[in-house]
Amino acid sequence: MAALEASLLPLSGPFGHILILFPLVFLVYLGAGALAWYRRPSNRMGALILWGGFAVFVGGLPNTDIPILAAAGQIGATLVLAVIVHLLHAFPSGRLRGRVSMLSVATAYVTSLLLQAPGYLFSPGGSAPDLFIGENPSLVAAGGTVQKLAGAAVMLTTAVVLVGRLVRADNQRRRVLVPLFAYGAAVMLFIPFSGQILKVLGHPSAEVQTWLQLLAIGGIPVAFTWGMLVGGFAKTGELQELGSWLGATGAERPALTRALARVLGDPSVQISFWVPRREVFVTEDGSVAENQIGDSNRASVHVELDGRVIGAISYDSSLISTPEPVREAGKVLALAMDRERLTAELRRSHTDLQRSRERLVDAADQERRRIALDLHDGLQMHLVLLALDAQKLANTLGGSAPDAGAPQRATTLRKGIDSAAADLRSLVHAVMPAALIERGLAAAAEDLVDRMPVPTTLELGIGARACSPAVESTAYFVLAEAMTNVIKHAHATSVRISLHLVEDWLRMEIHDDGGGGARLSGATGLRGVMDRVDVLGGQASLVSRLGEGTHIVVELPCM
Amino acid sequence: MHVVIGEDEALLRHGLQLVLEDGGFTVVAAAATAVELEKAVEIHRPNLVITDIRMPPTHTDEGLLAALRIRRQYPETAVVVLSQHMQRRYASELLSSPNGRVGYLLKQRIADIESFLADLLVVAAGGTALDPDIVALMMARAKLSDGAVRALTPRQHQVLALMAEGRSNSRIAAELFLSGKAVVQHTSRIYDALNLPLDSNSHRRVLAVMRYLSES
């Protein structure tokens, strides 16, 4: 087409060196537009730049000798100005955002196409005599005035919109936007006013003026393509690319987010995963995803798998104007995201887990120390005293005079041994209760509740041995510790306990109507048992406001 | 009186055997596992079985389960279950076997030989014996929620507890140093207060009291 235009233009004429610029600038537009399109297939900037090329092409037509082309060129003589306005408003996504932008661009097109009309319809001096209807200088003058005013209005609103965007942009983006907008605005102003500007500079030659105009217009696609390429907008791929990335395995596989950022061309893309048990979104590194509702430039779409939400993709809405490409990518990603979701959940608890493991080892040592102390101070002393009694009794029995009180003393001795045995039993019971060993959690919880000095109800929604012994004993020790706290600190008048299986999770709730104010950091016994919950991959929450009782919910994966 | 013992600890098994034989019982078999126990019962058809709850191979509750099966299969064989720890659930499971002839005692009660042997005889004769521990647990529980139990006098509490343990009126009288008449008065007041049906059958009396305590 460029060659066609070149062949049509009177290049051998006196203005040939200027006219050759039309096909050249057109070529620049074509090249830049194609490059932009190739780099960002889902972005409309490329198409828009190509559209600008068309406007340049049309702009050069009045110089041809073919009347119909000249007429078309006359109609679209200032179209390129409207396209520049369009480009400025549409950068970087290629789509117009906001009503002001849409109105400005529409006005720009109307100004360049319709308000241009009186100039060639009613003025005999135009280069397209075919369009001439009749002379009407007043209409020409009026059309010119309205066109100038409308043009000025478009420029003003464009300036306001662009400045507003600059203010809102982050620093990285601003480095690109400032020179780009400045250049675009300069060209937009220079072309209609180039006559006056050049007059001031002392170069009134029309030749130079046209030359400079075309040069300025030719810089536009270069500038916009540059803006897209350096603005952190790397080459983006197709969805197929994402698919093949998902097929790749091994350690070299880049992170999900990076792959998605590449495909969507938005480096700020963030993937978050839905954790239904906590009802929050977490990011890849396991932290809770921030809610970015307040940021007008962030938007997000949910990713669903089999009808349930498994995550979300948050993206820069100034860069990706419609959620469609993101949603499409989300569909491709869904399965992989579900897998990554589990990893994210895992990472979330990894640090906690490490810490709780350390505390668990500590707690186990402390527990051993406590048991050793109990055995040593209590039981051992008790047994030593009993042994002394037994020896004294033996001495009296071995003596020459039989002691009438001997049977009585033997019975006392037996009772002493009984009580030592009872001590031992309660110690053993505290370490591992018989009911838990014999019948599992449900029976053990029931037994614990039976011994509560405070009215306590137990709602049992689990059968015998519903979960693994580790899970059951962990739940039991949380319950036992909670009951100890109720007795020692809570001053409660009633306690409610429920044990249920919810989708393969053991859910235990403990509510008391006591004084509240319990804290995990304070109640070291509770902290210790909660660590066991952590290690088993469970979750625990403790709410204990002053005066509102203590409420503990523990959930453990029931295997 | 023929007895079969189920106890996995060898020392305790022999100790128990000695105590029983000294007390005039004939130990026909001593089993170390629940399976052996049931086999021995099948062979010897003893008057009484004494078994531990926790036994090999799983060391959970197979002794208790064997006892319950024995009670169902051999109505003439009485069963006394020994345990380290008293549980309401086990008590009610044992009491639900038909016609009494069950006992549920802490292991340490063996040491009080006289009382232990007396309990065995009660059970073998068709009565019921519950450990004071489990009865105390039930009473404490009932007192938390039941005004009628709370309203009883301390003496009536003692009598109620002994009734639940399966003691006859004469044994209650002896234990509390009361006259037989006084015991009858206490029991009838308790029956009135708790709205229990009068029953002279020792097992049904235990059942009624325990059911009342359980449900309160």
Side-chain angles (χ1 to χ4, degrees):
Chain A
M1 255 175 101
L4 177 76
E5 190 174 42
S7 71
L8 291 174
L9 292 169
L11 295 179
S12 51
F15 299 113
H17 61 287
I18 293 171
L19 293 180
I20 188 71
L21 277 176
F22 277 103
L24 284 182
V25 169
F26 175 55
L27 276 180
V28 170
Y29 269 84
L30 281 190
L35 180 65
W37 205 330
Y38 169 68
R39 295 282 236 174
R40 292 180 54 86
S42 62
N43 186 300
R44 285 202 180 167
M45 282 306 284
L48 216 50
I49 291 171
L50 290 180
W51 165 238
F54 172 75
V56 170
F57 180 82
V58 170
L61 290 179
N63 300 306
T64 63
D65 296 327
I66 300 161
I68 177 116
L69 290 182
Q74 191 60 254
I75 292 171
T78 53
L79 180 61
V80 70
L81 284 176
V83 176
I84 292 173
V85 171
H86 193 167
L87 278 168
L88 283 171
H89 278 278
F91 187 82
S93 73
R95 282 169 206 264
L96 294 173
R97 283 181 295 143
R99 218 172 267 169
V100 178
S101 275
M102 284 184 196
L103 201 67
S104 301
V105 173
T107 313
Y109 279 112
V110 167
T111 309
S112 85
L113 290 175
L114 284 184
L115 297 179
Q116 184 79 359
Y120 48 81
L121 292 179
F122 307 113
S123 161
S127 53
D130 294 350
L131 297 172
F132 180 61
I133 297 170
E135 194 164 349
N136 193 338
S138 60
L139 258 180
V140 172
T145 309
V146 173
Q147 190 181 25
K148 274 187 193 117
L149 285 175
V154 167
M155 281 176 203
L156 202 66
T157 49
T158 302
V160 170
V161 167
L162 296 190
V163 167
R165 287 192 191 164
L166 281 179
V167 169
R168 283 195 303 273
D170 57 25
N171 276 337
Q172 192 203 342
R173 189 78 29 93
R174 211 173 282 147
R175 273 203 297 279
V176 176
L177 290 181
V178 167
L180 186 68
F181 285 172
Y183 179 67
V187 172
M188 207 168 60
L189 286 171
F190 173 70
I191 289 171
F193 300 111
S194 53
Q196 287 89 324
I197 295 167
L198 289 174
K199 222 176 262 167
V200 172
L201 295 173
H203 272 287
S205 146
E207 220 174 285
V208 175
Q209 185 186 334
T210 315
W211 200 76
L212 282 175
Q213 279 183 355
L214 281 170
L215 214 59
I217 290 171
I220 287 285
V222 179
F224 275 97
T225 309
W226 164 84
M228 288 178 59
L229 298 190
V230 301
F233 321 127
K235 177 197 175 300
T236 62
E238 299 286 349
L239 283 180
Q240 288 94 304
E241 202 182 325
L242 193 58
S244 66
W245 172 82
L246 289 174
T249 51
E252 307 134 65
R253 198 174 77 172
L256 202 57
T257 308
R258 248 187 301 151
L260 187 64
R262 213 168 118 71
V263 166
L264 293 175
D266 176 1
S268 74
V269 153
Q270 227 193 22
I271 295 179
S272 51
F273 307 97
W274 178 243
V275 184
R277 302 211 65 78
R278 297 177 71 212
E279 302 199 333
V280 289
F281 285 99
V282 301
T283 59
E284 270 181 324
D285 62 12
S287 55
V288 172
E290 287 165 54
N291 195 338
Q292 290 170 318
I293 284 171
D295 190 339
S296 63
N297 275 337
R298 300 301 299 179
S300 74
V301 298
H302 282 175
V303 179
E304 295 183 357
L305 187 66
D306 301 333
R308 70 199 154 91
V309 173
I310 58 162
I313 301 172
S314 125
Y315 61 95
D316 186 340
S317 58
S318 68
L319 212 56
I320 302 167
S321 53
T322 66
E324 285 319 315
V326 185
R327 202 166 285 146
E328 286 304 314
K331 278 182 197 159
V332 177
L333 277 187
L335 258 178
M337 270 183 74
D338 206 28
R339 203 171 50 204
E340 293 270 315
R341 184 174 64 84
L342 298 172
T343 318
E345 257 188 284
L346 216 62
R347 287 205 189 107
R348 178 188 66 75
S349 55
H350 184 259
T351 329
D352 287 353
L353 199 64
Q354 190 56 37
R355 245 178 258 130
S356 41
R357 275 188 188 139
E358 284 159 15
R359 280 198 303 263
L360 212 59
V361 172
D362 266 1
D365 282 353
Q366 270 179 22
E367 184 69 3
R368 277 200 197 94
R369 210 166 298 146
R370 191 187 63 77
I371 294 170
L373 216 66
D374 279 1
L375 286 173
H376 184 265
D377 290 0
L379 203 56
Q380 184 171 287
M381 290 309 287
H382 209 154
L383 289 175
V384 168
L385 292 174
L386 288 170
L388 278 174
D389 281 352
Q391 189 56 52
K392 271 193 257 171
L393 187 60
N395 291 347
T396 49
L397 288 177
S400 47
D403 187 347
Q408 178 64 40
R409 287 173 67 184
T411 304
T412 312
L413 181 60
R414 196 265 297 158
K415 282 184 179 155
I417 294 170
D418 267 2
S419 117
D423 281 358
L424 183 60
R425 266 191 310 125
S426 69
L427 196 67
V428 169
H429 184 79
V431 173
M432 186 54 84
L436 194 57
I437 297 170
E438 292 165 8
R439 288 278 175 99
L441 175 61
E446 201 177 76
D447 193 44
L448 196 60
V449 168
D450 277 346
R451 281 154 220 275
M452 281 295 286
V454 179
T456 303
T457 61
L458 172 66
E459 194 184 306
L460 266 185
I462 58 169
R465 307 221 181 267
C467 305
S468 71
V471 168
E472 291 212 335
S473 66
T474 297
Y476 174 83
F477 287 114
V478 172
L479 182 60
E481 202 54 47
M483 293 304 103
T484 305
N485 283 345
V486 166
I487 296 166
K488 276 192 193 161
H489 311 295
H491 310 292
T493 59
S494 80
V495 182
R496 271 186 306 123
I497 301 164
S498 73
L499 277 165
H500 287 284
L501 267 187
V502 185
E503 290 171 1
D504 288 340
W505 281 67
L506 176 66
R507 184 180 169 91
M508 178 168 72
E509 292 185 42
I510 306 162
H511 305 280
D512 72 53
D513 62 353
R519 276 171 307 140
L520 279 183
S521 53
T524 52
L526 212 48
R527 163 92 271 165
V529 290
M530 292 299 195
D531 283 341
R532 294 185 53 149
V533 174
D534 258 4
V535 168
L536 289 175
Q539 284 144 16
S541 77
L542 173 121
V543 177
S544 186
R545 290 192 197 89
L546 274 178
E548 292 179 19
T550 299
H551 310 274
I552 297 172
V553 177
V554 171
E555 290 177 305
L556 286 157
C558 184
M559 288 159 286
Chain B
M1 171 109 41
H2 288 188
V3 185
V4 169
I5 299 171
E7 167 61 59
D8 63 318
E9 281 294 330
L11 270 177
L12 202 55
R13 196 164 58 231
H14 292 306
L16 194 54
Q17 192 165 349
L18 284 177
V19 164
L20 290 172
E21 281 167 355
D22 282 355
F25 292 81
T26 311
V27 177
V28 292
T33 70
V35 178
E36 279 178 38
L37 175 68
E38 283 183 84
K39 260 188 211 142
V41 171
E42 196 187 344
I43 295 165
H44 300 287
R45 303 292 175 100
N47 308 98
L48 178 65
V49 167
I50 302 170
T51 181
D52 187 8
I53 286 188
R54 232 183 285 172
M55 283 212 276
T58 62
H59 288 281
T60 56
D61 61 350
E62 47 271 273
L64 178 74
L65 299 182
L68 293 171
R69 275 194 298 272
I70 291 167
R71 248 344 261 123
R72 271 199 304 276
Q73 278 177 345
Y74 310 102
E76 296 309 312
T77 300
V79 169
V80 171
V81 171
L82 300 178
S83 174
Q84 297 281 11
H85 178 83
M86 288 287 116
Q87 262 173 267
R88 184 163 58 93
R89 196 184 270 221
Y90 292 172
S92 64
E93 283 173 15
L94 282 167
L95 287 176
S96 70
S97 46
N99 305 319
R101 291 180 193 269
V102 287
Y104 182 38
L105 300 173
L106 272 178
K107 239 179 203 177
Q108 68 181 70
R109 304 291 175 216
I110 302 168
D112 188 354
I113 298 168
E114 200 183 321
S115 178
F116 177 64
L117 294 180
D119 280 338
L120 294 186
L121 288 174
V122 165
V123 173
T128 307
L130 288 183
D131 198 275
D133 230 46
I134 186 72
V135 172
L137 171 75
M138 303 286 289
M139 297 273 286
R141 217 176 137 265
K143 272 187 215 168
L144 275 182
S145 55
D146 190 305
V149 175
R150 257 202 310 270
L152 297 178
T153 65
R155 184 55 106 189
Q156 285 164 349
H157 277 140
Q158 286 176 319
V159 174
L160 180 64
L162 289 170
M163 281 161 69
E165 286 168 28
R167 304 283 206 256
S168 63
N169 280 4
S170 55
R171 256 184 99 183
I172 294 173
E175 213 148 310
L176 298 180
F177 305 105
L178 292 172
S179 67
K181 209 175 149 195
V183 172
V184 170
Q185 271 173 2
H186 282 305
T187 52
S188 63
R189 269 192 223 118
I190 292 169
Y191 281 132
D192 283 349
L194 305 187
N195 203 12
L196 293 176
L198 256 168
D199 202 321
S200 58
N201 177 298
S202 139
H203 175 64
R204 282 202 292 274
R205 184 161 91 165
V206 172
L207 262 189
V209 172
M210 287 299 277
R211 192 169 293 140
Y212 180 85
L213 292 178
S214 270
E215 284 165 6
S216 64

